[in-house]
Amino acid sequence: MLHQLTAEQDLVILPADKHGAIVIMDWAKYLAEAERQLGDAQFYMYMPLDLTLQFKKEIDSFLNLALEEGIINKKTVYHLTVSDPHSQYLYLLPKIHKDLSNPPGRPIVSGRSSLTASLSAFLTKYLQPLLPLVQARIQDTTSFLQIIENMQLEPDWLMCTLDVSSLYTNIPHWAGLAALQFWLDQANIYPPGFNSFFLVCLTEHMLTRNVYFFGKCFWQVKGTAMGASFAPIYADLFMVYIEQLIYDTSHNLYLGEIDIWQCYLDDCWMVWRGDTIFLQEFVEYLNQNKWGIQFTLYSQGLHYFPRCYYH
């Protein structure tokens, strides 16, 4: 049966975005969703020519300049340089948990041996140590259980979950790089002489020199691609950065109602002391931000617990 389905050219079979399901989807719907996303000029730009070789020259030039200035050595340049970059291909994972009939797609980029694959691995290595320093972050199931183990709630308090809409693709480059520089400045974990600004510039080169193929060639002009190894770290650091700016401000009239706030990437969990009307006002306040990040309140109630997460 499965063999017969795979032979059908008007169907596409792929994993769902969550919960481990397998989705058999009409190819026309899948194509329409991909074209809808790629047609949004806020995030992607159609390119009549493949710019990979041009971007390679720019990245190579940046690495050689860093070598000349003594920021990196020849070994690092060798590991970061891709002599024959492979093309990156975009595909979608259907979000059937949001719409079973016409699921939106989560864009994933398959970028093995691509121009920016080695940059992503390098950034992952050097940015990963920042995550344990970030507060208000659920690291895994164990850390969440430790948070709630001794938690005491009043009868009228609410436990809530909020979701950030399409976090990866909605991070403005300028804001993500500012967040990265902020956390690098805060950290005291790197050896003397470590050049944190090089990591920020390397990230900027990676974010702004990505082209993908989905039949045609597209350049991503906003956000970061899921599929890159460094993307979850980048998104995590960005989220906690903007949360600090949103919540730790004298203009936030809602801070007194928040008993606990924790997040894991684009999922946030909160214990709210106020009533539901004030809670809705708080969500509206969150969405009035300069980054264009939108929060959606999904669940609320005294006996509601969020799903737990694993690395």
Side-chain angles (χ1 to χ4, degrees):
M1 179 65 176
L2 186 60
H3 178 72
Q4 292 177 337
L5 287 173
T6 57
E8 293 288 339
Q9 296 185 358
D10 57 349
L11 296 177
V12 58
I13 303 174
L14 65 170
D17 179 52
K18 294 181 179 178
H19 309 311
I22 299 296
V23 179
I24 302 174
M25 189 173 179
D26 182 79
W27 169 253
K29 287 186 177 182
Y30 179 81
L31 180 61
E33 172 62 13
E35 291 178 342
R36 180 189 69 81
Q37 294 194 28
L38 293 170
D40 190 336
Q42 181 183 0
F43 304 104
Y44 302 98
M45 182 181 297
Y46 165 68
M47 304 303 295
L49 298 175
D50 183 358
L51 296 179
T52 299
L53 294 182
Q54 174 62 36
F55 287 162
K56 172 175 167 51
K57 291 179 181 178
E58 295 174 4
I59 292 174
D60 289 351
S61 177
F62 168 71
L63 294 175
N64 288 326
L65 179 61
L67 175 64
E68 292 174 5
E69 296 185 357
I71 299 173
I72 56 177
N73 55 34
K74 290 183 178 180
K75 183 178 180 180
T76 301
V77 173
Y78 173 79
H79 286 297
L80 293 180
T81 301
V82 180
S83 57
D84 185 22
H86 293 186
S87 298
Q88 300 186 92
Y89 293 91
L90 184 142
Y91 62 96
L92 304 178
L93 297 182
K95 298 182 181 182
I96 58 174
H97 59 286
K98 293 192 173 181
D99 189 329
L100 192 59
S101 300
N102 295 289
R106 184 183 299 277
I108 308 291
V109 171
S110 177
R112 186 175 183 180
S113 299
S114 68
L115 177 62
T116 57
S118 58
L119 306 187
S120 179
F122 183 86
L123 290 169
T124 299
K125 175 183 177 181
Y126 283 95
L127 298 182
Q128 184 79 42
L130 292 174
L131 292 183
L133 307 179
V134 176
Q135 298 178 355
R137 178 181 177 274
I138 299 174
Q139 299 183 26
D140 50 30
T141 301
T142 301
S143 67
F144 176 71
L145 293 176
Q146 291 172 346
I147 292 170
I148 67 174
E149 182 178 9
N150 299 314
M151 185 175 61
Q152 297 181 353
L153 301 178
E154 296 297 327
D156 57 344
W157 289 4
L158 301 171
M159 286 190 288
C160 317
T161 57
L162 298 96
D163 176 72
V164 178
S165 176
S166 302
L167 172 62
Y168 285 68
T169 52
N170 275 295
I171 301 176
H173 292 332
W174 62 269
L177 295 172
L180 185 57
Q181 185 67 68
F182 173 83
W183 292 116
L184 287 168
D185 290 342
Q186 295 293 310
N188 189 26
I189 58 176
Y190 297 104
F194 179 81
N195 194 316
S196 63
F197 187 62
F198 169 73
L199 290 185
V200 177
C201 292
L202 190 66
T203 303
E204 188 271 337
H205 275 73
M206 178 176 170
L207 292 172
T208 59
R209 289 161 177 83
N210 264 323
V211 290
Y212 317 128
F213 284 86
F214 189 92
K216 302 175 183 178
C217 182
F218 295 88
W219 178 22
Q220 185 169 4
V221 295
K222 182 180 180 181
T224 184
M226 292 192 69
S229 60
F230 107 111
I233 301 171
Y234 176 72
D236 225 349
L237 294 174
F238 169 75
M239 273 300 298
V240 183
Y241 171 71
I242 69 166
E243 284 163 4
Q244 280 202 157
L245 298 180
I246 291 175
Y247 309 126
D248 299 343
T249 170
S250 59
H251 299 292
N252 189 341
L253 303 177
Y254 307 92
L255 288 179
E257 306 300 332
I258 302 173
D259 186 67
I260 301 175
W261 175 278
Q262 295 286 326
C263 69
Y264 182 85
L265 291 175
D266 57 352
D267 292 292
C268 306
W269 179 73
M270 173 180 63
V271 175
W272 179 259
R273 296 170 177 165
D275 58 31
T276 56
I277 295 177
F278 210 38
L279 175 60
Q280 292 292 343
E281 291 181 6
F282 172 61
V283 175
E284 293 177 6
Y285 166 79
L286 291 181
N287 290 331
Q288 296 172 3
N289 63 77
K290 62 183 178 181
W291 308 283
I293 300 299
Q294 295 297 294
F295 294 80
T296 301
L297 178 66
Y298 271 113
S299 303
Q300 60 190 59
L302 180 59
H303 303 292
Y304 179 79
F305 281 84
R307 57 188 181 278
C308 296
Y309 306 92
Y310 297 85
H311 280 307

